[in-house]
């Protein structure tokens, strides 16, 4: 089954404790991205990757890191989480960067206390 | 950069009625306009999209219209059913920039 998987689905952590949210897709997509979803703000892009070893900032990259060592995986790293990073996070992948369907993962709800 | 505004933020309709969600965009270069449906506890899923070379597209009970001159596009759902209840997002992109999403519309269809 074609899908994007994320882990964990739920995470409660404390300020400053490094964490990683994993993302994996099995559709051989070149383009992957991370979004955060906040009430009233919709989906805002954090980082994206156009291919292996190629990553770039989205609209809200501060406080996040990503890596793309393999085509299928695109982990999101929070080196020192803060409460303002409490949000719902989605990983997405697609064949094209723009003008094409994006496939979203099920989401990771992160709470930073 | 592109800015997408979406209205209304919440919409409640009776089963069988129609629902309309409207979006405006700022970048005249935008040429791809998808609509995503997000059910509770799930990620957004594409339900319909339209490109700038057409003015309307239909898929069963769902239709999208695009007015490039006015820079707005709309999602129309006819004969709504309870399973249409979800959050809907519009988005816009051009060939050079990543997609920008609207803030979302929570649609509730009352049985």
């Amino acid at each position: 089954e074609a899908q994007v998987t994320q882990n964990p689905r739920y995470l409660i952590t404390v300020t400053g404790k490094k964490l990683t949210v994993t993302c994996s897709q099995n559709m051989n997509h070149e383009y992957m991205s991370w979004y955060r979803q906040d009430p009233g703000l919709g989906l805002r892009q954090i980082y994206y990757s156009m291919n292996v070893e190629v990553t770039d900032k989205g609209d809200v990259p501060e406080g996040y890191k990503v890596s793309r060592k393999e085509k299928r995986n695109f982990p999101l790293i929070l080196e020192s989480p803060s409460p303002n990073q409490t949000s719902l996070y989605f990983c997405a992948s697609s064949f094209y960067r723009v003008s094409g369907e994006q496939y979203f993962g099920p989401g990771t709800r992160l709470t930073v206390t | 950069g592109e800015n997408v505004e979406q209205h209304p933020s919440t919409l409640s309709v009776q089963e069988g009625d129609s629902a309309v969600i409207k979006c405006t965009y700022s970048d005249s270069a935008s040429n791809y306009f998808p609509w995503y449906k997000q059910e509770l506890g799930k990620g957004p899923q594409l339900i319909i999209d339209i490109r700038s070379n057409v003015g309307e597209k239909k898929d069963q009970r769902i239709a999208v219209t695009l007015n490039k001159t006015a820079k707005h596009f709309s999602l129309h759902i006819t004969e709504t059913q309870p399973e249409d209840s979800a959050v809907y997002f519009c988005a816009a992109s051009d060939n050079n920039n990543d997609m920008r999403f609207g803030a979302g519309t929570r649609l509730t269809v009352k049985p």
Side-chain angles (χ1 to χ4, degrees):
Chain A
E1 179 189 357
Q3 60 182 350
V4 178
T5 56
Q6 294 179 228
N7 283 293
R9 294 291 311 278
Y10 303 91
L11 180 59
I12 300 174
T13 189
V14 296
T15 299
K17 186 176 181 181
K18 181 180 179 179
L19 66 92
T20 299
V21 183
T22 64
C23 171
S24 183
Q25 51 93 6
N26 62 1
M27 295 168 279
N28 202 35
H29 287 165
E30 292 191 347
Y31 183 76
M32 298 185 74
S33 59
W34 276 101
Y35 293 89
R36 61 177 289 173
Q37 182 180 356
D38 301 290
L41 297 177
L43 294 157
R44 294 180 293 167
Q45 192 178 57
I46 303 170
Y47 267 94
Y48 65 90
S49 169
M50 297 181 69
N51 213 326
V52 175
E53 302 292 1
V54 180
T55 64
D56 209 345
K57 297 177 180 179
D59 293 327
V60 288
E62 292 76 21
Y64 305 95
K65 287 176 57 177
V66 293
S67 69
R68 187 91 181 272
K69 293 181 169 44
E70 304 166 286
K71 195 172 188 177
R72 63 183 292 131
N73 297 323
F74 189 45
L76 179 68
I77 303 156
L78 283 72
E79 294 271 3
S80 182
S82 62
N84 64 12
Q85 293 178 298
T86 292
S87 187
L88 180 59
Y89 292 86
F90 289 101
C91 179
S93 72
S94 61
F95 280 112
Y96 308 109
R97 177 183 173 189
V98 294
S99 301
E101 179 176 4
Q102 293 199 61
Y103 295 80
F104 285 84
T108 295
R109 184 165 293 281
L110 171 66
T111 302
V112 183
T113 61
Chain B
E2 177 66 273
N3 181 48
V4 178
E5 294 191 357
Q6 182 173 346
H7 300 279
S9 56
T10 60
L11 179 60
S12 182
V13 300
Q14 207 67 35
E15 183 177 359
D17 289 349
S18 294
V20 180
I21 303 170
K22 299 181 179 181
C23 289
T24 61
Y25 61 98
S26 61
D27 189 349
S28 57
S30 290
N31 56 14
Y32 177 64
F33 307 92
W35 285 88
Y36 284 82
K37 176 183 181 182
Q38 183 182 18
E39 298 178 339
L40 194 62
K42 298 183 179 180
Q45 186 171 13
L46 180 73
I47 55 171
I48 195 168
D49 57 11
I50 192 169
R51 299 182 189 274
S52 60
N53 56 346
V54 298
E56 182 176 3
K57 184 176 179 181
K58 289 184 179 179
D59 183 2
Q60 299 182 339
R61 296 185 297 108
I62 295 174
V64 57
T65 58
L66 171 65
N67 183 328
K68 286 218 73 179
T69 303
K71 289 190 280 189
H72 67 69
F73 56 111
S74 301
L75 177 71
H76 304 253
I77 306 175
T78 58
E79 301 173 22
T80 54
Q81 301 166 4
E83 51 264 40
D84 294 329
S85 295
V87 177
Y88 291 81
F89 291 100
C90 63
S93 70
D94 64 27
N95 291 331
N96 297 311
N97 295 302
D98 291 281
M99 207 167 290
R100 295 292 188 277
F101 287 84
T105 296
R106 182 175 298 281
L107 173 65
T108 302
V109 180
K110 299 178 181 177

